[in-house]
Amino acid sequence: MRPLFLYAPNLKRYETDFLNSEKGWKSISVTGPSCAFNCKHCGRRILEFMIDGSNLGKLEKEIIDAINRGDEGIILSGGSTIRGDVPIWKYSNLLNKYSDRLTIIAHTGVIKNEEIAKKFKDSGVKIALLDMVADNETIREVLGQPFSVEDYLNSFKYLKKVGIKIAPHVIIGLSKKGIDGDLEAIKLLKEVNPDALIIVGLMPLVGTQMANIKPPSPEDMIRALKLARDLFDNIPINLGCAKPRGKSYINVEKFAVDYDIDGIAFPEEEIYNYAKSRREVHLSNACCGNIIFDLIKVISS
């Protein structure tokens, strides 16, 4: 079986006997809590949990601290501009000072043309993260964005064209078409040849318009992981950091272990021993998107 990577970046407090997030890669918002959109499932709440890196001084302070701690990378994120992209590229001069000492993984937002993609490349971004949505209704009514499915697909194509690795995320439970819409998002990604694929689950957040929505069932999460593994047998597939938790979801992580899923972020504690008895396990404080490089290191060593 493939090696299994268990991840714990510094996105939330996570502590087990085998791994904790205290020294995990930092997640920094270059816009602070600001975003041009107000997605119903997020409501800008996710930005509140990130480190504020909304000016040069704040961002450089966090980067230097990460280097001094011995971190190998950082996660850059933030709210979108009205054009759709996260304006990480505004700090390209600063980021280039440190890009040879840190792996920069970035949530890019929607990329409308190759020129914007090139700005991310020039900022030292190595891996790009962006959700994939398979229907215009969800983009319009849930995300509140004036974009299309084609805009999302083109974003990945532009990023790949300029030489950035792509790790699309599919949020199970997001589509207004139900699980069929979520699974369609996975299928559509065949068109863009991703370097990794990350499956996550909708987590109802207090204070958002979708706070009372029912999260995806364990069965739907398993269906998504199975489809992703079956369709993309030559790239890493991860169960990402955002996902429903609880006793009934233990079987999702056990399925991930048994079905050759490559990575699990913030695994339930009992999964470690379960996995060790079946696969070669590696522990990491990186963003799980770094599976692209982690897998290469392990295979080549």
Side-chain angles (χ1 to χ4, degrees):
M1 295 184 82
R2 301 167 184 251
L4 175 69
F5 294 82
L6 303 180
Y7 291 97
N10 193 221
L11 286 168
K12 67 176 185 178
R13 184 172 181 178
Y14 173 84
E15 186 173 352
T16 66
D17 290 339
F18 58 91
L19 188 62
N20 70 73
S21 61
E22 184 181 355
K23 292 188 177 181
W25 287 18
K26 297 182 177 192
S27 181
I28 304 169
S29 170
V30 300
T31 65
S34 300
C35 180
F37 302 105
N38 188 24
C39 301
K40 290 181 178 178
H41 70 299
C42 172
R44 307 186 183 101
R45 291 298 313 281
I46 293 173
L47 298 175
E48 296 174 10
F49 302 113
M50 297 180 185
I51 298 167
D52 186 352
S54 57
N55 62 49
L56 280 171
K58 290 179 179 179
L59 183 56
E60 185 162 31
K61 176 181 177 296
E62 296 300 336
I63 290 173
I64 291 172
D65 181 63
I67 291 171
N68 290 339
R69 293 196 321 170
D71 295 356
E72 295 181 355
I74 54 173
I75 309 163
L76 294 184
S77 189
S80 299
T81 66
I82 196 68
R83 186 174 55 190
D85 53 285
V86 179
I88 289 164
W89 44 266
K90 290 199 310 184
Y91 301 103
S92 59
N93 289 339
L94 170 64
L95 294 173
N96 274 313
K97 287 171 56 178
Y98 302 104
S99 59
D100 61 337
R101 301 167 70 181
L102 288 168
T103 297
I104 300 174
I105 296 181
H107 290 94
T108 63
V110 174
I111 306 296
K112 295 305 292 283
N113 54 57
E114 187 178 336
E115 180 183 357
I116 298 172
K118 182 72 162 51
K119 289 181 178 181
F120 281 92
K121 176 69 172 178
D122 292 342
S123 299
V125 173
K126 296 293 192 296
I127 299 173
L129 313 177
L130 173 63
D131 298 336
M132 180 62 209
V133 188
D135 63 278
N136 293 331
E137 184 183 6
T138 299
I139 296 171
R140 183 177 62 252
E141 296 186 17
V142 178
L143 305 184
Q145 297 176 345
F147 308 126
S148 67
V149 173
E150 200 65 25
D151 289 327
Y152 274 77
L153 288 170
N154 285 338
S155 297
F156 294 115
K157 293 174 183 178
Y158 290 134
L159 289 162
K160 286 214 74 167
K161 187 173 183 180
V162 300
I164 297 176
K165 305 289 186 184
I166 60 170
H169 286 50
V170 175
I171 305 174
I172 308 307
L174 183 70
S175 176
K176 289 185 70 68
K177 297 181 180 296
I179 184 61
D180 290 340
D182 300 324
L183 298 180
E184 181 63 21
I186 296 172
K187 295 173 186 176
L188 283 176
L189 287 168
K190 289 290 285 185
E191 186 178 326
V192 302
N193 298 315
D195 298 286
L197 173 55
I198 300 172
I199 302 298
V200 293
L202 182 67
M203 297 175 64
L205 291 176
V206 174
T208 69
Q209 296 179 61
M210 297 177 72
N212 296 316
I213 197 170
K214 187 177 180 180
S217 67
E219 293 75 21
D220 283 348
M221 294 296 296
I222 288 171
R223 284 182 67 186
L225 287 169
K226 184 178 187 303
L227 177 64
R229 179 77 289 159
D230 292 346
L231 284 181
F232 299 93
D233 61 353
N234 62 335
I235 65 168
I237 305 294
N238 284 0
L239 177 59
C241 59
K243 57 183 180 289
R245 306 189 73 87
K247 187 175 293 186
S248 63
Y249 290 91
I250 291 288
N251 287 335
V252 178
E253 296 189 12
K254 287 184 176 179
F255 176 85
V257 173
D258 294 337
Y259 209 69
D260 247 3
I261 300 303
D262 297 275
I264 303 174
F266 302 123
E268 297 288 352
E269 190 151 7
E270 68 185 73
I271 290 300
Y272 180 55
N273 288 329
Y274 183 84
K276 279 203 308 179
S277 67
R278 291 161 173 78
R279 296 171 64 177
E280 173 189 330
V281 176
H282 298 265
L283 305 178
S284 174
N285 281 123
C287 165
C288 79
N290 203 55
I291 188 81
I292 295 168
F293 298 135
D294 289 336
L295 203 54
I296 291 172
K297 286 180 184 177
V298 168
I299 291 172
S300 61
S301 64

